[in-house]
Amino acid sequence: MKTIQVLSTSARQTARLGRQLARHLRKGDIVCLEGELGSGKTTLIKGVAQGLGISPMQVHSPTFVLMNVYTGQAGLSLYHFDLYRIESVNDINAIGYEEFLYGDGVAMIEWAERLGDLTPQEYLRIELMHKDEDQRLINLFAFGKRYHQVVEAL
């Protein structure tokens, strides 16, 4: 497993990492995000969105609807899942997640640890942790050859 660690000292740096990541993402990619409330998951996704040509102002956590779809300037969609409020994997099945997870866009999943047995075999896992009030420790873990390439490129 290929891993890298990044120290972010601001929301701006976290978003910048998202923009850098977006340059290496393509149709069908899956990014699973884990971290406490307020650790920067949505901020990172806003950076990815911006890197895909989507206004970060459009991006907000889909906590109550489970998923938002944003379409970038190049036609690549961003499927933004937030699994914070799910009670079981049946809730995930009910939204037809596979159509999006393995679809024509990039899937980014907040609270991905709640996928349980539905977690794909290959994906990029990003863990965000509070280091102190302004700093976040961001760990990227590559599961599968495709994601090893992404981490290597970063």
Side-chain angles (χ1 to χ4, degrees), residues 83-121:
L83 305 182
Y84 182 71
R85 296 203 183 275
I86 68 155
E87 295 185 18
S88 76
V89 292
N90 290 334
D91 294 341
I92 300 168
N93 284 325
I95 64 168
Y97 81 99
E98 286 182 319
E99 176 184 341
F100 300 99
L101 207 59
Y102 303 102
D104 290 333
V106 171
M108 298 199 71
I109 308 161
E110 294 189 52
W111 301 96
E113 62 273 21
R114 297 183 182 196
L115 282 170
D117 291 340
L118 300 177
T119 302
Q121 288 186 351

Side-chain angles (χ1 to χ4, degrees), residues 12-81:
R12 188 180 330 178
Q13 282 186 339
T14 301
R16 184 180 327 133
L17 176 62
R19 288 190 305 274
Q20 291 169 340
L21 175 59
R23 289 187 223 143
H24 305 288
L25 295 175
R26 62 182 187 216
K27 174 179 148 179
D29 281 344
I30 301 169
V31 180
C32 294
L33 296 104
E34 299 178 12
E36 301 171 330
L37 285 170
S39 61
K41 295 179 297 294
T42 303
T43 300
L44 184 73
I45 292 173
K46 285 181 179 215
V48 169
Q50 189 174 21
L52 296 176
I54 300 163
S55 168
M57 300 298 286
Q58 289 183 302
V59 178
H60 60 279
S61 240
T63 303
F64 294 100
V65 294
L66 297 181
M67 185 188 69
N68 286 331
V69 178
Y70 312 104
T71 302
Q73 294 172 349
L76 185 64
S77 294
L78 173 60
Y79 307 126
H80 179 190
F81 293 84

